Amino acid sequence: EFNLSFRYATNAIKTSKYNVFTFLPLNLFEQFQRIANAYFLVLLVLQVIPQISSLSWFTTVVPLILVLSVTAAKDAIDDIVILPSFCRQTLSCLTIHLFHTFSLGFQADLLLLSSSEPLNLVYVETAELDGLKKEPTHPVRCEPPNNRLDRFTGTLTFAGQKYSLDNEKILLRGCTLRNTEWCFGLVLFAGPETKLMQNCGKSMFKRTSIDRLMNILVLCIFGFLAFMCFVLAIGNYIWETNEGSGFTVFLPREDGVSAGFSTFLTFWSYIIILNTVVPISLYVSVEIIRLGNSFYIDWDRKMYHANSDTPAEARTTTLNEELGQIKYVFSDKTGTLTQNIMVFNKCSINGKSYDLRISPLCLLFPLLPPQSKNAVDFSFNPLADPRFVFHDHSLVEAVKLESPEVHTFFRLLALCHTVMAEEKTEGELSYQAQSPDEGALVTAARNFGFVFRSRTPGSISIVEMGNQLSYELLAILDFNNVRKRMSVIVRSPEGKLSLYCKGADTLIYEKLHPSCSKLMDLTTEHLNEFAGEGLRTLALAYKDLDEEYFDQWKRRHHEASTSLDDREGQLDLLYEEIEKDLLLLGATAIEDKLQDGVPQTIEQLAKADIKVWVLTGDKQETAENIGYSCNLLREEMTEVFVISGHSVDEVHQELRTALNAMKPETAEDSVFLSEAATGKGAEAAEDEAVSGDYGLVINGHSLAYALEHSMELDFLRTACLCKAVICCRVTPLQKAQVVELVKKYKRAVTLAIGDGANDVSMIKAAHIGVGISGQEGMQAVLSSDYSFAQFRFLQRLLLVHGRWSYLRMCKFLRYFFYKNFTFTFVHFWFAFFCGFSAQTVYDEWFITLYNLMYTALPVLGMGLFDQVTVTWSFQYPQLYVPGQRNLYFSKRAFFKCALHSCYSSLLLFFIPYAALQDTVRDDGKDVADYQSFALLTQTCLMFMSYWTAVNTFFVLGSLAMYFAVTFTLYSNGMFLILPAAFPFLGTGRNSLSQPSVWLTVLLTSILCVLPVVTYRFLLTQLCPSINDKARQAKATPPPPSQRTRIRRTSSRRSGYAFSHAQGYGDLVTSGRYLRRPAVPRPSGFANMGRATTGFSPMGRSAGYSPTGRPQNAKAQNVEVTSLQMYRTIQEPAL
Amino acid sequence: MTTMKEEGNYANRPSNTAFTQQRLPAWQPMLSAGVVIPGFLLIGLAFIGIGVGLLITSRSIQVLELDYTGTETSSPCYQCTMSNQSNCVCKLSFSIGTLFKGPVFFYYGLTNYFQNQRKYGVSKDFNQLIGDVSYFKSPSSDCQPYQRVNGKPIVPCGAIANSMFNDTFKLYQIINGKEELVPFDGKGIAWWTDYNIKYRNPDYTPLKNAFNDTEKPVFWTKPAYELDTSDASNNGFINQDFLVWMRRAALPNFRKLYRRITEGNYKDGLPAGNYSLEISYNYPVISFEGTKKVTFSNVSWMGGQNEFLGIAYLVIGSMCVVMSVVMLIVYAKFRFPEED
C-alpha cells in the first residue's frame, strides 16, 4: 500500500515525559534547572575547595540528595499516575473506521467519506472546537499537521478527478457525532498530529501569588546573604590586619594568603555556612504540603456527590493556598448554578391552579423512577414518559373528565412548539427540543394524554387520549426577543382552523379578548404566585380562526415574506394582526431547577466578601430570574441597574448613571480617574465602598462596548461597587475578557466555575478554574484546576479547604523562614567572636540534619495537620477575608518574621555565651550543643498555636529524635567507625548532665516564647482580629442554622419560559433537516418562516442536534449560546 | 428506602477516616486572659525563685583570679616577657583571707586567644590522635603548616597541638617563712571520653618506638611520649594537659583546668595565709595582645561562679510579674466586647 511506505504517527499520544532509562538524567537535568537546586550544586562545588570549605561536603550532599530524591519520586508519580488517562485514548491508525454509535467521539482527525444521513450530512458536536457541519468526500494530499482548527486544505483524487478539501469535510479529534447512525472516515492525522493535540500545547502555567512572593523573597534572601557575607568578610579583613597578624605565632598564614585574599576566601566560606538562610527544602516542603492539601480535597466526603458518584478532584496541586484568597467568583449559569433540568411544576388552567409539588425524594434523585405512592398514575397512557412525576390527581381527573379547557390547554402544549420527535420503536418516543423549557412542556402534555408524535413540514401528528390525529400545520409565527411569544396556526382533522399561542404573560395579556378579563385576574394572581417562587411562567392562549380571514392573511403573509424591503417589519405587523382577541387558557410554571444549596452557597460567599459574577449566555430575563432565585439579586437591594445600551454612548451613559446613583460625589471625576489609571496601568481600581446594596445586569452587546479600552475602567468600577453582577448573553470570549479585565486592574484572585465548553476560556483565564464534573461535557473539567459535581461544594472548597490551605501555607512559610533565619543568624553573631573565620557554631551533623530531620516534621506537620474547626469556617465566613487581603504572608509579615528570628538568634547566642562564660566545664562545643537544643525546643513551640495529636507527636518525636541521634552520633561506636566525621564525641554526655545547661535551655526557651505570647495577648485584647472574635464566640452557642431559601414575596414577574434567542420554526418547516420526507415541499407557509437576521439554516448555527435518543432515554437537549457553541445538557426529568 | 443504591455504586466515595476527613483530635491553646495572666505570674514567681537560688549559690563560690602576663613593669613576670628569655621563672605572691573551701580547682586562662578560629581548629589529624601509626608517616594536609618539619612528619601534627600551653605552675604556702608545696592532682582533669576513646596511644611498648622517624611539634621542648616524666601512663596523646588543650575553647577568652587541689593538708581547701605561685613562663601572648592568668575556684551544684544566670532569672521573673500586672490592667480596661 502506498500509505505503508510512510511512517505515520500512531494514534497513541505520549503524554508522559520519561521512561525507565531516561528518567534519571532527564529528571536530574530538570531539577537542576531550578534555581534552588542549582544553587546548592554551586555550594557543593565551593565546599570541595579546601581553602574555602568551612563545612564538610556531606552537609550539603545529604540534604541535596534527599531533596532530589523526594522531588524525583513525586515527578515519577505524577508521570505514572496522572498522565496515562490520556494515553488510554489510543486507536490504531490509518484505516478507515466505521463508527456505529453516533455519540462516539473521534480520537483522530478524519476525512468524512459518507454517513448514514440523507444528503450525507452529519451533525457534529464540536464543543471546544466550534460548530461545524460536514459533508463527506473521498483519499488524499493534505497539508502538514498544524494547529489551525478553522482551516484545512488538501486535495482528493478520485476517479481521475481532483477535488479540493476544506474544513467542512474534516472531522476533528474531540468532536462528537450527534444524530448520525454511522459514518465512514479516513484518518488524516492521528495521535499527536491531530489538530486538537497540536492545539493543546503547554497550557498556561498557573502560579499562586504566594509563589511569586516566595520567589521574590528568595531573591531578597540571596541579596541579604551576600550582604551578610560581605559584612563578615570586611570583619575578617579587619581582624586579620589587627588581631590575626599577631596571632600568627600560633596560626601562621598559609603561603600567599594575605589579609585581602583571606577576606575573599572568607566571603565564600560564609556563603557556605550561611547557606541555610536560603532553605533548600523550602520548595520541596511546599510541594509536599500542597500535595497533601490536594489529597484532602480529593478525600473530602463532604464534597463527594453520591448521586453521580463523583468525588471532588484537585487536578492541579500547585494552587491550593490561592483558594483561600479568592475575591471574585465568575460563574456560569446553566449546569453550574442550575441543573438545567426544567421541571413542569405548576399550571393554572381556566382559573384553577394546580399546585404540583414534587416530593423531596424526587428532588434528590431526579433520575430514579418515581415509586412514591401518591405520584399520579399515568398507566392509562401507554406513551407516557415513565420518568415524569406529577402529584396532583385532580388534574388527571380533569383530563379524564374531558374538560374542554384542560384539553385545549394540553393540545396547545402538544402543538405549539418546535420540538422534534423521534420514535425508534413503537412507543419509544424521544424529543429533541431547542430549549429545555419546551421539552418540559411537550413532555408534560404527552403524559397527560396529548402525545406529540411526529412532525412533517406541513403536519403535526399527535395522539390525543389514545386517538391518532394529524393536524395540518399552516404557519409557525416564531419566537423572537421582541415578540416574546410564538404561535402556530393549525387545521384540526375536523377542519377547524385555530391559532395557538404561548408567550410572556405581559405580552399575551395585551392580546386578549376583553371577555376574559375575569379569568385574566385569576390567572394573574396565579402567575404572581408562581413568579414569587422563582418559576418561569408562560401564558397560553388560543383562538379559532375564520377561514376567509385566514386566506386573506395568508396571501398578505406570502407577499410580505417575499418582499425585498423591511421584510421583518412587515411580518411583525402581520403577526401582530393575527395574534389578537385571543382567549386565555391558563399559564404554565416551569422551574429551572437550581442545584441544591446554591442560594445558601452564594449567601455564604457574599458573607465572606467574595463577589459572585454570573456570566451566562442566557437572556437577560432568564439570567435575572435565576439571579433572584439564587439569592444573588435580592429584593432588598437598593437598586438593580440594567445596562443594555446598543451604542458606546448609551452604554457609557448608563454606566455613568449607575455610578452616579451609587456614588454621587465621584461620578464627575471618573473620567479623570480612568485616564490617570490607564496611564498608571494596574495601579488603578482600588476597592471602594458604597452604602447600600446594588446589583448590575449587563447585556452581551453592551458588554462589548463596556469592554472597550476607553470604558473598561468605568465598567469595572461600576461593577465592583455592586454586590452582584450578572452578564447575560455573553460569548465565551467575553467571559474570558471580563475575567481578564478584573485580573488586570484588581489585585485580586479570581476563580471561574463552569461546566461547559463555553466556559473553558474563562476557566483558563482565571487564576483558578473550577469545572463542574459529572455533566456530559468534560471540556470544562479537563481544563480546570479543580472539579467537583455540585456548585454548593464551592463553599467548602473555598471556605474550608481554601482557608486551611492558605493558613497552613502561610504559617508554614513563616515558621520555616523563622527557623532557618534563627538557625543561621547565630552563625552571624558567632563570627564576631571567632575572628570571622567561618567557624560553625554547631556540629556539622546538626547542620546537616537540622532541616531534614529535626525540624522537618514539625513544620510539615503544621502544614498538613493544622486544623481549624470546620464549623467556624461556615459560621463565620468573614474569617475568609484576611486571605483576600493577603494578611498572613506578605512582605510585611516576612519582615516581622525576620526581625523575630533576629531577636531569637540574639537570645540563643548571647544567653549561652553569658551563662557559659567562665563556668567550670567551659567547653567550646557545649555552646553549640545546647544552643541548638534550645533552638529546636523553642522553634517547635513558636508558631504552633494548634496542636493536633499528630503535631504533638511530631514535635515530641523530633525532640526525642534529636536526643537519640545526638547521643548516637556522639557515642563511642560512631567515633570508632569514622573518627574524622564525628568529633563531638562525649559532648552530649558531658554537657547535658550539667544542671546549669538545662537552666540555660529553660531560660532561652522561655525568653523566646514569652514576648510572642505577650504580644499576641495584648493584640488580642487591644485590636482583636476576626479570628479572635470567632474564637471568643466559640463558647457561645452557634446561631440558628442558615436561613432556608428565601421566598420572594414580591410580585416581580419572572422570566417566561423561552430560554433562547431565535426559534427555529423555519427550520422545522423547511423540511431540510427532517428525517424521512426529504422532499422539500415549497408549501406556502413553510418558507415563510422568518428567514431573518443571520439565521441561515445552512450556516453554522444550524447544528442543533435533532436526534434519537439511546435506549436509556437520555434526551439530548441543546442549549445554543451566542457563539453557537453547542453542548448537550443533562436530561430533564420529565 | 428505595433510593439506596448498592455499595458498589459508590466506588469513588472517599473513605471515612479521621485522617482523610481532617477530623483528628486537636487541642487549641487559647491565649485567654484566664490562662495568660496567671501563667505569667506563675512563671515570674518561679523564675524569681530560681534566680534567687542561683544567685545565692553563685555568691557562695569563691574565686581568686591572678593575672601574670607581665605587661606592667611592676609585675613579677615582667622580665619574662623580654625576648630571648628561656626557662624564665617568676613568682607570684598572694594571700587568702579566709579558708578557700575545697575541692579547689586551679585554672589557667588566656584572653584574646582564638582557639575557635576555623583554620586553627581544623589543624589536626584525628587519625594520628587515635593512635593510627600509618598516619604518623603521612599526617593529614589539614595540619599545614605544621605537617612536616625537615622532611619528617610531625606527630602530633597541626596548629592546635603545636600551640599547646606550656607554662607550668607550682603553688607554695608560706608557713613561717618556709615554702610548703601544695600538692596538685593532675588526674582526671580531662573528659572521660577524651581520655578513653577519642585519644589513644599506639599500641607500642615502649611508646617511643611508635614515634620513630617523626618530629615533635616545632614549639615543643619534649616529644609527646615524654610529656610527663613522672608518670609513664600520662604520656603520648592521653596526657591530661594535652587533652585539656586539645579540647578547643568556644570563645576567645577562656580558662582551662590545670590541676585540682584535693590532697594532703589541703583536702578541705586552702587555709588562710600567704601563698606563692611559681610560674615557669614559656607561653608568648604579648604578640597578639593576649593576657594570661590563673584562677582558683571551687564549684557548686551548678558549676563555677556565674552570676549571669541568677540575675537573668531574676530579671525575667520580675518582668513576667510586671507584665502580668500590665496585662491585667489592659484586660480590665480594653478587653473587647464579648458580643459580636
PDB file of all heavy atoms in Angstrom, chain B residues 128-149:
ATOM      1  N   GLN B 128      45.900  10.316  63.615  1.00  0.00           N
ATOM      2  CA  GLN B 128      47.089  10.230  64.456  1.00  0.00           C
ATOM      3  C   GLN B 128      46.672  10.097  65.910  1.00  0.00           C
ATOM      4  O   GLN B 128      47.195   9.280  66.652  1.00  0.00           O
ATOM      5  CB  GLN B 128      47.911  11.509  64.318  1.00  0.00           C
ATOM      6  CG  GLN B 128      48.776  11.559  63.093  1.00  0.00           C
ATOM      7  CD  GLN B 128      49.719  12.764  63.162  1.00  0.00           C
ATOM      8  OE1 GLN B 128      49.618  13.595  64.071  1.00  0.00           O
ATOM      9  NE2 GLN B 128      50.638  12.834  62.210  1.00  0.00           N
ATOM     10  N   LEU B 129      45.687  10.906  66.256  1.00  0.00           N
ATOM     11  CA  LEU B 129      45.357  11.026  67.671  1.00  0.00           C
ATOM     12  C   LEU B 129      44.653   9.801  68.227  1.00  0.00           C
ATOM     13  O   LEU B 129      44.591   9.631  69.432  1.00  0.00           O
ATOM     14  CB  LEU B 129      44.520  12.286  67.907  1.00  0.00           C
ATOM     15  CG  LEU B 129      45.276  13.574  67.558  1.00  0.00           C
ATOM     16  CD1 LEU B 129      44.373  14.776  67.664  1.00  0.00           C
ATOM     17  CD2 LEU B 129      46.494  13.751  68.456  1.00  0.00           C
ATOM     18  N   ILE B 130      44.096   8.955  67.364  1.00  0.00           N
ATOM     19  CA  ILE B 130      43.596   7.701  67.928  1.00  0.00           C
ATOM     20  C   ILE B 130      44.657   6.613  67.833  1.00  0.00           C
ATOM     21  O   ILE B 130      44.376   5.440  68.033  1.00  0.00           O
ATOM     22  CB  ILE B 130      42.302   7.202  67.237  1.00  0.00           C
ATOM     23  CG1 ILE B 130      42.509   7.033  65.737  1.00  0.00           C
ATOM     24  CG2 ILE B 130      41.122   8.096  67.551  1.00  0.00           C
ATOM     25  CD1 ILE B 130      41.403   6.228  65.095  1.00  0.00           C
ATOM     26  N   GLY B 131      45.827   7.036  67.511  1.00  0.00           N
ATOM     27  CA  GLY B 131      46.937   6.101  67.590  1.00  0.00           C
ATOM     28  C   GLY B 131      47.151   5.276  66.345  1.00  0.00           C
ATOM     29  O   GLY B 131      47.738   4.200  66.400  1.00  0.00           O
ATOM     30  N   ASP B 132      46.694   5.750  65.231  1.00  0.00           N
ATOM     31  CA  ASP B 132      46.906   5.010  63.991  1.00  0.00           C
ATOM     32  C   ASP B 132      48.280   5.365  63.435  1.00  0.00           C
ATOM     33  O   ASP B 132      48.509   6.458  62.926  1.00  0.00           O
ATOM     34  CB  ASP B 132      45.804   5.396  62.998  1.00  0.00           C
ATOM     35  CG  ASP B 132      45.825   4.504  61.776  1.00  0.00           C
ATOM     36  OD1 ASP B 132      46.901   3.942  61.477  1.00  0.00           O
ATOM     37  OD2 ASP B 132      44.778   4.381  61.117  1.00  0.00           O
ATOM     38  N   VAL B 133      49.198   4.445  63.533  1.00  0.00           N
ATOM     39  CA  VAL B 133      50.589   4.751  63.230  1.00  0.00           C
ATOM     40  C   VAL B 133      50.800   5.068  61.759  1.00  0.00           C
ATOM     41  O   VAL B 133      51.720   5.790  61.390  1.00  0.00           O
ATOM     42  CB  VAL B 133      51.493   3.564  63.644  1.00  0.00           C
ATOM     43  CG1 VAL B 133      52.933   4.004  63.669  1.00  0.00           C
ATOM     44  CG2 VAL B 133      51.068   3.047  64.989  1.00  0.00           C
ATOM     45  N   SER B 134      49.967   4.535  60.907  1.00  0.00           N
ATOM     46  CA  SER B 134      50.162   4.792  59.489  1.00  0.00           C
ATOM     47  C   SER B 134      50.051   6.282  59.191  1.00  0.00           C
ATOM     48  O   SER B 134      50.666   6.786  58.258  1.00  0.00           O
ATOM     49  CB  SER B 134      49.146   4.009  58.666  1.00  0.00           C
ATOM     50  OG  SER B 134      47.835   4.360  59.068  1.00  0.00           O
ATOM     51  N   TYR B 135      49.278   6.978  60.001  1.00  0.00           N
ATOM     52  CA  TYR B 135      49.167   8.419  59.792  1.00  0.00           C
ATOM     53  C   TYR B 135      50.337   9.187  60.406  1.00  0.00           C
ATOM     54  O   TYR B 135      50.463  10.379  60.223  1.00  0.00           O
ATOM     55  CB  TYR B 135      47.844   8.939  60.344  1.00  0.00           C
ATOM     56  CG  TYR B 135      46.667   8.522  59.499  1.00  0.00           C
ATOM     57  CD1 TYR B 135      46.020   7.319  59.736  1.00  0.00           C
ATOM     58  CD2 TYR B 135      46.233   9.323  58.441  1.00  0.00           C
ATOM     59  CE1 TYR B 135      44.959   6.917  58.945  1.00  0.00           C
ATOM     60  CE2 TYR B 135      45.180   8.925  57.647  1.00  0.00           C
ATOM     61  CZ  TYR B 135      44.538   7.726  57.905  1.00  0.00           C
ATOM     62  OH  TYR B 135      43.506   7.352  57.114  1.00  0.00           O
ATOM     63  N   PHE B 136      51.143   8.480  61.181  1.00  0.00           N
ATOM     64  CA  PHE B 136      52.344   9.129  61.694  1.00  0.00           C
ATOM     65  C   PHE B 136      53.276   9.480  60.556  1.00  0.00           C
ATOM     66  O   PHE B 136      53.979  10.480  60.574  1.00  0.00           O
ATOM     67  CB  PHE B 136      53.072   8.204  62.683  1.00  0.00           C
ATOM     68  CG  PHE B 136      52.427   8.143  64.051  1.00  0.00           C
ATOM     69  CD1 PHE B 136      51.066   8.362  64.211  1.00  0.00           C
ATOM     70  CD2 PHE B 136      53.201   7.870  65.173  1.00  0.00           C
ATOM     71  CE1 PHE B 136      50.498   8.296  65.474  1.00  0.00           C
ATOM     72  CE2 PHE B 136      52.626   7.813  66.436  1.00  0.00           C
ATOM     73  CZ  PHE B 136      51.270   8.019  66.590  1.00  0.00           C
ATOM     74  N   LYS B 137      53.272   8.608  59.543  1.00  0.00           N
ATOM     75  CA  LYS B 137      54.190   8.816  58.422  1.00  0.00           C
ATOM     76  C   LYS B 137      53.678   9.901  57.476  1.00  0.00           C
ATOM     77  O   LYS B 137      54.447  10.634  56.897  1.00  0.00           O
ATOM     78  CB  LYS B 137      54.353   7.510  57.636  1.00  0.00           C
ATOM     79  CG  LYS B 137      54.805   6.340  58.483  1.00  0.00           C
ATOM     80  CD  LYS B 137      56.320   6.357  58.663  1.00  0.00           C
ATOM     81  CE  LYS B 137      56.779   5.237  59.601  1.00  0.00           C
ATOM     82  NZ  LYS B 137      56.339   5.450  61.006  1.00  0.00           N
ATOM     83  N   SER B 138      52.377   9.933  57.339  1.00  0.00           N
ATOM     84  CA  SER B 138      51.829  10.923  56.407  1.00  0.00           C
ATOM     85  C   SER B 138      50.661  11.650  57.062  1.00  0.00           C
ATOM     86  O   SER B 138      49.517  11.272  56.927  1.00  0.00           O
ATOM     87  CB  SER B 138      51.338  10.231  55.131  1.00  0.00           C
ATOM     88  OG  SER B 138      50.456   9.189  55.483  1.00  0.00           O
ATOM     89  N   PRO B 139      50.980  12.684  57.805  1.00  0.00           N
ATOM     90  CA  PRO B 139      49.915  13.421  58.505  1.00  0.00           C
ATOM     91  C   PRO B 139      48.963  14.103  57.519  1.00  0.00           C
ATOM     92  O   PRO B 139      49.332  14.371  56.374  1.00  0.00           O
ATOM     93  CB  PRO B 139      50.686  14.464  59.310  1.00  0.00           C
ATOM     94  CG  PRO B 139      52.109  14.048  59.287  1.00  0.00           C
ATOM     95  CD  PRO B 139      52.294  13.258  58.045  1.00  0.00           C
ATOM     96  N   SER B 140      47.789  14.345  57.992  1.00  0.00           N
ATOM     97  CA  SER B 140      46.774  14.985  57.155  1.00  0.00           C
ATOM     98  C   SER B 140      47.239  16.359  56.696  1.00  0.00           C
ATOM     99  O   SER B 140      47.934  17.066  57.423  1.00  0.00           O
ATOM    100  CB  SER B 140      45.474  15.118  57.958  1.00  0.00           C
ATOM    101  OG  SER B 140      44.681  16.157  57.429  1.00  0.00           O
ATOM    102  N   SER B 141      46.819  16.732  55.495  1.00  0.00           N
ATOM    103  CA  SER B 141      47.230  18.032  54.969  1.00  0.00           C
ATOM    104  C   SER B 141      46.568  19.168  55.739  1.00  0.00           C
ATOM    105  O   SER B 141      46.949  20.323  55.618  1.00  0.00           O
ATOM    106  CB  SER B 141      46.872  18.129  53.488  1.00  0.00           C
ATOM    107  OG  SER B 141      45.468  17.984  53.356  1.00  0.00           O
ATOM    108  N   ASP B 142      45.531  18.837  56.538  1.00  0.00           N
ATOM    109  CA  ASP B 142      44.915  19.857  57.390  1.00  0.00           C
ATOM    110  C   ASP B 142      45.939  20.490  58.327  1.00  0.00           C
ATOM    111  O   ASP B 142      45.750  21.596  58.817  1.00  0.00           O
ATOM    112  CB  ASP B 142      43.808  19.224  58.261  1.00  0.00           C
ATOM    113  CG  ASP B 142      42.584  18.886  57.443  1.00  0.00           C
ATOM    114  OD1 ASP B 142      42.422  19.489  56.365  1.00  0.00           O
ATOM    115  OD2 ASP B 142      41.802  18.030  57.880  1.00  0.00           O
ATOM    116  N   CYS B 143      47.016  19.737  58.601  1.00  0.00           N
ATOM    117  CA  CYS B 143      47.961  20.187  59.611  1.00  0.00           C
ATOM    118  C   CYS B 143      48.883  21.289  59.129  1.00  0.00           C
ATOM    119  O   CYS B 143      49.659  21.845  59.906  1.00  0.00           O
ATOM    120  CB  CYS B 143      48.813  19.012  60.082  1.00  0.00           C
ATOM    121  SG  CYS B 143      47.874  17.833  61.052  1.00  0.00           S
ATOM    122  N   GLN B 144      48.840  21.569  57.845  1.00  0.00           N
ATOM    123  CA  GLN B 144      49.699  22.626  57.308  1.00  0.00           C
ATOM    124  C   GLN B 144      49.582  23.911  58.142  1.00  0.00           C
ATOM    125  O   GLN B 144      48.480  24.247  58.559  1.00  0.00           O
ATOM    126  CB  GLN B 144      49.317  22.931  55.862  1.00  0.00           C
ATOM    127  CG  GLN B 144      49.973  22.055  54.826  1.00  0.00           C
ATOM    128  CD  GLN B 144      51.478  22.208  54.758  1.00  0.00           C
ATOM    129  OE1 GLN B 144      52.093  23.000  55.501  1.00  0.00           O
ATOM    130  NE2 GLN B 144      52.109  21.413  53.907  1.00  0.00           N
ATOM    131  N   PRO B 145      50.604  24.638  58.417  1.00  0.00           N
ATOM    132  CA  PRO B 145      51.998  24.374  58.030  1.00  0.00           C
ATOM    133  C   PRO B 145      52.762  23.520  59.035  1.00  0.00           C
ATOM    134  O   PRO B 145      53.992  23.485  58.992  1.00  0.00           O
ATOM    135  CB  PRO B 145      52.580  25.782  57.970  1.00  0.00           C
ATOM    136  CG  PRO B 145      51.799  26.521  59.012  1.00  0.00           C
ATOM    137  CD  PRO B 145      50.461  25.885  59.102  1.00  0.00           C
ATOM    138  N   TYR B 146      52.044  22.880  59.934  1.00  0.00           N
ATOM    139  CA  TYR B 146      52.738  22.034  60.916  1.00  0.00           C
ATOM    140  C   TYR B 146      52.589  20.568  60.564  1.00  0.00           C
ATOM    141  O   TYR B 146      52.229  19.741  61.391  1.00  0.00           O
ATOM    142  CB  TYR B 146      52.230  22.315  62.331  1.00  0.00           C
ATOM    143  CG  TYR B 146      52.430  23.757  62.736  1.00  0.00           C
ATOM    144  CD1 TYR B 146      51.378  24.629  62.908  1.00  0.00           C
ATOM    145  CD2 TYR B 146      53.743  24.234  62.917  1.00  0.00           C
ATOM    146  CE1 TYR B 146      51.583  25.946  63.265  1.00  0.00           C
ATOM    147  CE2 TYR B 146      53.951  25.564  63.268  1.00  0.00           C
ATOM    148  CZ  TYR B 146      52.882  26.412  63.442  1.00  0.00           C
ATOM    149  OH  TYR B 146      53.105  27.712  63.782  1.00  0.00           O
ATOM    150  N   GLN B 147      52.772  20.274  59.281  1.00  0.00           N
ATOM    151  CA  GLN B 147      52.631  18.899  58.839  1.00  0.00           C
ATOM    152  C   GLN B 147      53.986  18.187  58.888  1.00  0.00           C
ATOM    153  O   GLN B 147      54.095  17.077  59.379  1.00  0.00           O
ATOM    154  CB  GLN B 147      52.082  18.894  57.413  1.00  0.00           C
ATOM    155  CG  GLN B 147      51.685  17.521  56.915  1.00  0.00           C
ATOM    156  CD  GLN B 147      51.183  17.589  55.480  1.00  0.00           C
ATOM    157  OE1 GLN B 147      51.281  18.628  54.824  1.00  0.00           O
ATOM    158  NE2 GLN B 147      50.660  16.484  55.000  1.00  0.00           N
ATOM    159  N   ARG B 148      54.943  18.842  58.392  1.00  0.00           N
ATOM    160  CA  ARG B 148      56.283  18.259  58.356  1.00  0.00           C
ATOM    161  C   ARG B 148      57.307  19.317  58.751  1.00  0.00           C
ATOM    162  O   ARG B 148      57.086  20.511  58.538  1.00  0.00           O
ATOM    163  CB  ARG B 148      56.622  17.785  56.942  1.00  0.00           C
ATOM    164  CG  ARG B 148      55.950  16.495  56.581  1.00  0.00           C
ATOM    165  CD  ARG B 148      56.072  16.232  55.091  1.00  0.00           C
ATOM    166  NE  ARG B 148      55.175  15.155  54.708  1.00  0.00           N
ATOM    167  CZ  ARG B 148      55.462  13.885  54.938  1.00  0.00           C
ATOM    168  NH1 ARG B 148      56.594  13.540  55.497  1.00  0.00           N
ATOM    169  NH2 ARG B 148      54.596  12.949  54.598  1.00  0.00           N
ATOM    170  N   VAL B 149      58.381  18.834  59.287  1.00  0.00           N
ATOM    171  CA  VAL B 149      59.497  19.729  59.529  1.00  0.00           C
ATOM    172  C   VAL B 149      60.762  18.952  59.164  1.00  0.00           C
ATOM    173  O   VAL B 149      60.887  17.778  59.490  1.00  0.00           O
ATOM    174  CB  VAL B 149      59.513  20.256  60.974  1.00  0.00           C
ATOM    175  CG1 VAL B 149      59.752  19.128  61.968  1.00  0.00           C
ATOM    176  CG2 VAL B 149      60.560  21.351  61.153  1.00  0.00           C
TER     177      VAL B 149
END
